[in-house]
Amino acid sequence: MATKVRTGSALAGTLAVFRREFAGYFATPVAAVFLVVFLLLCGVLTFNQAGFYERGQADLLPFFTWHPWLYLFLVPALAMRLWSEERRQGTIELLLTLPLATWQATLGKFLAAWCFAGLALALTLPYWITVSWLGSPDHGVIAASYLGSFLLAGGYLAIGAFVSALTKNQVIAFVLSVLACFLLVLAGYPTVLEFFGAWAPDALVEAVRSLSFLTHFEALSRGVVDARGIVFFLSAMACFLIAGTAAVELEKAR
Amino acid sequence: MAARIELDSLTKRFGAFTAVAGLSFQAEGGTVLGFLGPNGAGKSTTMKMVTGFLPSTSGRALVCGFDVASDPRSVRERLGYLPEGAPLYPDMTPKSLLEFAGAARGMGRAERVRAAGAAADRVQLGAVLHQRVETLSKGFKRRVGLALAILHDPEVLVLDEPTDGLDPNQKHEVRGLIGELAEDKVIVLSTHILEEVEAICTRVVLIAAGAKRFDGTPEQLAARSPWHGAVRLRVVEGNGADGFEKELGKLDGVRRVERRAVTGAAEYAVFPEAGATSRGPLAVDVERLVRARGMAPLELSVERGRLDDVFRELTASGARS
């Protein structure tokens, strides 16, 4: 495309979309409902299911263990409206006839949702404070876990945004995103890997494992901050954002 | 670059279906172009291609000299668009919506606040500026949509059914606004309300099944009607009625006369021969005849032409351009 690159306005456009979207969460009860449900489930899962106190260890593993499963339902709920709602309301025509490139709209929307997920995550910081007060945890591991959790949410969101671009129907968007994310989590599950290991060559098993959100998240939540995990999540996001931009372009042309 | 819009063999196909088939026209600043056609004729599709929302299958659309396919950004900077039904984000206020559009258009904070205020004033949004869009009446929503379209003072305005669903007062207001804006802009507005064309348009492009069927002034469109220049007469027929119809038919330049009895009177329609340009003399002749026969005329008028008829004739399937 022969569009001139105007860095300043490219940023301004993305930022405008970002701000509108982010404020949009708080204009409706969506933000409140999401935050309350997220924090409530975090609490229930950490204290009742994972036995935060009973373990007698000063770490946040019981808290982070649940994140891939918690996000599996909550993040697609956050992402399902990103494009579906624009298309249902017809506002997509308003948005995409502004002097914005489609990728700017995609990126702005994604970043707003990701920041919102980040806000939800930030509200769990009292866990960190509690655990520091009760004992002396490894702060490095906890910081890495938070990073991993944030990246995981971003990965789910990029998938959800992509799926949302494919359909007008939010329910379909939700179900399909859950399914897609579930498959990517599952790819790292021991049972699945054993299933592949029984007959497939090691290279394939390793390939399946390396695609898994779970594998990379668990590495990070053990405190292993290597570039590969971060690059994996960032490139997964980039891929799905590019796919999402293409999906928006294709779908509006129909 | 002066305000200008140019369509060159613009075509859109959806699979095997051709929605717009090689449409060409151009318009300069100061034009209010009525884009007419029955539902499903391809009006909205054409507009979406001009705004760059839909890619064209072939052909070009240029706005102020910029090709929408290769430089959509330059086109959108110079173009204001009101999509069909004026879609808006329901959970925003008109003020926040206008400022968002300003920010997305690269305006600084002060500039977008000023532009939003000016656009809101222009469409008289004052009272509802801080009210959520979902609580607004249809008329106000349409005005918010218009304010969004004129926010950046664009050279070209594309309005998809700007008065659809409004009450007569609101229609009147919107038309007044369009008239004011028209001075130096190109305004393309789609409609299927024919009175609107006569009220505000300086130019008409009529399409059906994606192809152009007419391009000219509203007067030229009206002139296509068999009623164009016809004299309509309502008289109380006294004794003078015998042979009156025949005598009307013998007047100079008359093609045909129709008579219809109504309560207490009769209605005549005197059609001039095709190509008759001056509409005055026939009416004078008819009136002279009525007086000479001692009949009492209740009403005598000259028809400008009936756009409905022309519209139907031009858009009927099988009609040629």
Side-chain angles (χ1 to χ4, degrees):
Chain A
M1 219 176 268
T3 314
K4 275 174 258 162
V5 180
R6 296 170 220 182
T7 326
S9 60
L11 201 66
T14 311
L15 194 67
V17 174
F18 169 83
R19 287 174 55 179
R20 198 205 74 74
E21 289 284 329
F22 194 72
Y25 286 109
F26 297 94
T28 58
V30 170
V33 169
F34 183 88
L35 292 175
V36 166
V37 169
F38 175 72
L39 294 175
L40 215 64
L41 285 178
C42 271
V44 169
L45 293 173
T46 307
F47 294 104
N48 294 4
Q49 296 300 311
F52 178 72
Y53 291 121
E54 289 81 348
R55 292 170 75 243
Q57 284 183 38
D59 64 13
L60 283 181
L61 205 61
F63 167 64
F64 286 112
T65 311
W66 292 103
H67 282 201
W69 306 105
L70 192 56
Y71 285 166
L72 192 54
F73 293 97
L74 288 181
V75 171
L78 206 58
M80 67 182 185
R81 52 182 283 282
L82 285 178
W83 286 107
S84 305
E85 200 157 71
E86 295 272 359
R87 294 181 56 202
R88 192 179 51 79
Q89 285 167 184
T91 43
I92 187 169
E93 224 173 306
L94 201 68
L95 181 66
L96 295 183
T97 53
L98 289 167
L100 293 171
T102 306
W103 68 262
Q104 287 177 290
T106 314
L107 186 63
K109 278 171 171 289
F110 168 76
L111 289 177
W114 199 19
C115 277
F116 184 75
L119 173 73
L121 195 59
L123 290 176
T124 66
L125 288 177
Y127 288 91
W128 195 349
I129 296 166
T130 310
V131 85
S132 313
W133 185 63
L134 290 171
S136 44
D138 185 336
H139 292 291
V141 170
I142 294 181
S145 302
Y146 267 108
L147 176 68
S149 179
F150 187 51
L151 288 171
L152 181 69
Y156 282 1
L157 268 175
I159 294 174
F162 164 66
V163 174
S164 174
L166 294 174
T167 172
K168 222 185 255 201
N169 187 315
Q170 295 200 20
V171 178
I172 293 176
F174 175 78
V175 173
L176 289 182
S177 321
V178 170
L179 191 69
C181 295
F182 184 57
L183 288 176
L184 280 172
V185 170
L186 221 55
Y189 222 60
T191 330
V192 175
L193 290 175
E194 277 162 28
F195 167 74
F196 278 99
W199 53 271
D202 285 353
L204 183 66
V205 179
E206 218 22 63
V208 170
R209 182 214 285 282
S210 71
L211 274 180
S212 167
F213 279 23
L214 196 64
T215 314
H216 292 278
F217 173 70
E218 281 179 344
L220 280 162
S221 62
R222 279 196 307 270
V224 188
V225 186
D226 68 348
R228 264 187 309 175
I230 297 171
V231 168
F232 169 78
F233 278 117
L234 291 180
S235 42
M237 282 181 238
C239 282
F240 280 105
L241 286 179
I242 292 167
T245 306
V248 171
E249 291 279 347
L250 279 177
E251 281 297 311
K252 75 171 187 179
R254 298 207 306 186
Chain B
M1 175 61 89
R4 184 178 160 78
I5 184 171
E6 187 178 343
L7 274 63
D8 180 13
S9 317
L10 202 62
T11 299
K12 181 71 189 178
R13 287 190 203 94
F14 295 100
F17 173 68
T18 304
V20 179
L23 190 59
S24 302
F25 64 80
Q26 54 232 225
E28 315 281 338
T31 309
V32 180
L33 189 148
F35 196 37
L36 271 179
N39 288 328
K43 302 190 293 289
S44 293
T45 306
T46 303
M47 290 180 146
K48 284 175 187 173
M49 284 193 283
V50 171
T51 60
F53 183 73
L54 277 183
S56 61
T57 309
S58 65
R60 294 194 309 165
L62 291 101
V63 171
C64 303
F66 295 98
D67 189 328
V68 70
S70 60
D71 194 356
R73 192 174 182 117
S74 296
V75 166
R76 287 168 187 173
E77 279 167 358
R78 287 162 182 80
L79 184 135
Y81 176 42
L82 176 75
E84 191 175 5
L88 303 167
Y89 293 107
D91 50 15
M92 293 177 87
T93 65
K95 185 175 158 62
S96 60
L97 241 173
L98 287 166
E99 288 179 11
F100 157 67
R105 290 188 176 280
M107 297 178 185
R109 175 169 291 278
E111 193 190 354
R112 63 178 181 256
V113 170
R114 186 205 55 77
D121 283 349
R122 188 116 210 204
V123 300
Q124 295 163 21
L125 276 181
V128 302
L129 210 49
H130 299 280
Q131 216 170 305
R132 281 157 74 101
V133 164
E134 63 190 347
T135 66
L136 300 182
S137 67
K138 206 169 190 174
F140 269 120
K141 282 182 185 159
R142 195 59 50 99
R143 284 194 226 176
V144 176
L146 275 170
L148 281 168
I150 63 171
L151 180 74
H152 50 300
D153 194 23
E155 289 154 289
V156 174
L157 267 178
V158 174
L159 311 174
D160 201 348
E161 304 199 344
T163 60
D164 184 47
L166 300 184
D167 70 36
N169 296 336
Q170 293 165 333
K171 277 183 189 166
H172 182 76
E173 280 172 31
V174 169
R175 284 174 196 162
L177 180 68
I178 290 169
E180 281 173 35
L181 291 169
E183 209 173 304
D184 53 351
K185 298 183 197 306
V186 181
I187 300 183
V188 178
L189 63 95
S190 74
T191 180
H192 44 235
I193 308 167
L194 293 160
E195 47 162 324
E196 196 151 290
V197 172
E198 295 195 288
I200 46 173
C201 296
T202 56
R203 166 102 175 269
V204 180
V205 170
L206 192 150
I207 65 167
K212 190 160 79 176
R213 296 281 165 83
F214 176 84
D215 184 352
T217 64
E219 290 73 29
Q220 287 168 336
L221 185 65
R224 288 238 182 163
S225 163
W227 280 91
H228 176 67
V231 175
R232 246 162 43 86
L233 169 73
R234 200 150 64 90
V235 285
V236 179
E237 291 184 314
N239 300 326
D242 288 344
F244 178 60
E245 190 174 345
K246 211 167 232 172
E247 230 170 298
L248 275 175
K250 282 184 198 151
L251 285 175
D252 204 24
V254 170
R255 180 165 53 95
R256 188 164 67 86
V257 179
E258 270 176 20
R259 179 183 178 279
R260 193 162 68 95
V262 289
T263 32
E267 266 188 11
Y268 289 92
V270 186
F271 294 95
E273 273 165 353
T277 42
S278 65
R279 307 188 291 203
L282 187 55
V284 175
D285 290 347
V286 170
E287 195 198 1
R288 194 175 296 135
L289 194 63
V290 172
R291 300 259 179 237
R293 287 193 157 235
M295 292 170 18
L298 298 172
E299 192 188 321
L300 182 92
S301 60
V302 182
E303 290 264 346
R304 292 189 56 213
R306 294 183 178 180
L307 287 181
D308 310 36
D309 295 341
V310 184
F311 182 87
R312 266 201 304 279
E313 187 199 312
L314 288 174
T315 59
S317 54
R320 291 149 292 104
S321 56

